[in-house]
Amino acid sequence: MSNTAKDSSALDKRETIVIVDDEEMVITSLSSFLSLETEYNVKAFTSVQQALEFIGANDVDLVMSDYLMPEMDGITFLAKVRDLKPQVPRIILTGYADKENAIKAINEVGLFQYLEKPWDNDDILIVLRNGLERNKLMKKLQEKIDEINRAYAELQVLQREIVKAFV
């Protein structure tokens, strides 16, 4: 395998984080920070519709959204993300934090985390790392559940064959 193919393969295995915010400055700041400090594949959108199209068509490991956006509020957006990819951790980032919205977001969307602007870069890194680890563990759990279900189905077939042979 050539180095270019290895590099391409390594890039493909990077965890993908989608960031959605209507403020270009927030997108630029977070994308630049994460590109410099992490190996994450960061996809940033100022349009929720474009973000939803991307999420629906690609493997995504974590989604972080602004709360107040002109097209759609962050809770509604993250509910749509949950419908598309229920296992993906969802984070809301807001400059208008209040207890009522936090509770609503957690209850309605099953948020992984509720963060306030201005954010602390170290806190964002910890939250993202924890969210991605949760996602990885949930994928492993699903793989094990699928293995168990396949083994169970094979055992049922075997049981039917044994019953046919001896009954």
Side-chain angles (χ1 to χ4, degrees):
M1 183 182 291
S2 72
N3 282 343
T4 305
K6 284 181 185 175
D7 293 343
S8 175
S9 176
L11 288 174
D12 293 339
K13 292 182 180 178
R14 293 186 310 167
E15 294 151 314
T16 300
I17 296 174
V18 172
I19 300 172
V20 182
D21 196 307
D22 61 314
E23 294 179 55
E24 192 68 45
M25 188 177 82
V26 171
I27 292 288
T28 302
S29 177
L30 280 171
S31 295
S32 299
F33 169 68
L34 293 174
S35 295
L36 290 171
E37 297 293 325
T38 72
E39 296 293 321
Y40 304 143
N41 178 24
V42 178
K43 299 292 182 186
F45 298 90
T46 54
S47 162
V48 293
Q49 293 304 329
Q50 289 176 350
L52 287 171
E53 288 173 21
F54 179 83
I55 292 165
N58 295 282
D59 284 334
V60 172
D61 298 294
L62 187 142
V63 177
M64 181 164 46
S65 171
D66 186 18
Y67 175 67
L68 287 178
M69 298 181 286
E71 286 180 79
M72 179 185 304
D73 69 72
I75 294 172
T76 304
F77 168 71
L78 291 174
K80 291 179 182 283
V81 171
R82 181 191 57 204
D83 293 344
L84 290 171
K85 309 273 175 143
Q87 77 285 358
V88 171
R90 296 165 298 278
I91 297 170
I92 204 154
L93 182 63
T94 181
Y96 305 97
D98 64 58
K99 187 177 175 182
E100 183 179 319
N101 280 330
I103 292 169
K104 183 178 175 186
I106 290 166
N107 290 337
E108 290 183 13
V109 186
L111 278 187
F112 176 71
Q113 192 80 40
Y114 188 95
L115 297 173
E116 294 181 28
K117 293 178 185 174
W119 63 86
D120 178 273
N121 285 342
D122 291 336
D123 289 345
I124 288 251
L125 287 177
I126 291 168
V127 167
L128 293 177
R129 194 173 316 127
N130 289 342
L132 292 168
E133 183 64 23
R134 175 188 177 272
N135 189 46
K136 193 181 302 180
L137 292 172
M138 293 302 287
K139 282 181 180 177
K140 282 184 181 177
L141 177 63
Q142 188 59 51
E143 288 172 10
K144 294 295 181 191
I145 290 170
D146 293 344
E147 280 180 34
I148 290 169
N149 286 336
R150 278 192 301 275
Y152 181 70
E154 289 173 15
L155 286 173
Q156 285 183 318
V157 169
L158 185 60
Q159 180 186 22
R160 280 192 292 269
E161 290 174 3
I162 291 171
V163 168
K164 273 187 199 174
F166 295 104
V167 176

